[in-house]
Amino acid sequence: MNITTSEFFKARRMVLKGAGVAALIGLGVIPFDVPQALAAANDKYPEDAFKQKNEADAIKALYGKTAEPSDKIKMDAPEIAENGAVVPISATTTLADVTSISFLVSENPISLVASYRIPAGTLPTVSNRIKMAKTSNVTAIVEAGGKLYSAKKEIKVTVGGCGG
């Protein structure tokens, strides 16, 4: 069998690329579930949900159903935020089969401030710094096992050190 020089180098490149990827997977640099992560990155952006003015409409646009309160969701946020432009918030849950976590602020002009897809096998914990227009309730919505659960916390936003 005769092969040309260019065919030889193409085949050689393929073998070297395959060996390189196999080495990186073996070293743990590239995880086995890269295709799942890439598929999650290509999910459709929930544009309609991020345009809604109130919580109920945003939840309906994002999930198509309502949430029930749950004590299995822990929100960590300050009681009083001195700067509404950067309010630290996090949510974690002990619920099984979590597929997404979202944050909503009831008094913001746009209620939905963040929404995360949680891949299988990932710890259901997210943290962010959100912007709040004024004192209001912040709601964490967790989708787990095909159902929606929520937790609320009121955060007071001060303006220049004075109550809001």
Side-chain angles (χ1 to χ4, degrees):
M1 179 167 121
N2 292 331
I3 61 169
T4 64
T5 306
S6 67
E7 289 172 335
F8 171 78
F9 284 114
K10 283 181 187 176
R12 181 173 176 252
R13 261 186 252 128
M14 275 182 149
V15 169
L16 290 175
K17 280 182 185 178
V21 168
L24 290 173
I25 289 173
L27 292 171
V29 175
I30 298 176
F32 286 110
D33 59 353
V34 168
Q36 291 176 353
L38 293 175
N42 291 324
D43 283 348
K44 185 174 177 338
Y45 177 75
E47 188 175 341
D48 289 342
F50 279 102
K51 291 180 179 179
Q52 301 305 314
K53 305 289 184 199
N54 66 54
E55 282 187 11
D57 291 342
I59 293 169
K60 187 176 179 183
L62 191 59
Y63 298 107
K65 48 191 165 189
T66 59
E68 61 184 68
S70 174
D71 59 353
K72 294 184 178 185
I73 301 170
K74 182 182 177 244
M75 283 180 48
D76 188 24
E79 298 278 328
I80 298 173
E82 293 180 17
N83 183 355
V86 287
V87 180
I89 189 164
S90 66
T92 188
T93 183
T94 57
L95 294 165
D97 300 323
V98 175
T99 55
S100 73
I101 299 176
S102 301
F103 292 115
L104 297 100
V105 179
S106 60
E107 296 295 322
N108 271 9
I110 303 295
S111 184
L112 182 62
V113 294
S115 185
Y116 303 90
R117 295 280 178 218
I118 310 295
T122 305
L123 289 175
T125 301
V126 294
S127 296
N128 201 347
R129 293 186 185 273
I130 63 174
K131 189 171 187 174
M132 294 180 62
K134 57 185 172 181
T135 297
S136 63
N137 286 323
V138 175
T139 305
I141 302 288
V142 174
E143 184 178 30
K147 293 184 175 182
L148 289 185
Y149 302 93
S150 68
K152 284 188 185 215
K153 182 173 184 175
E154 183 183 52
I155 300 176
K156 294 181 172 125
V157 177
T158 61
V159 181
C162 303

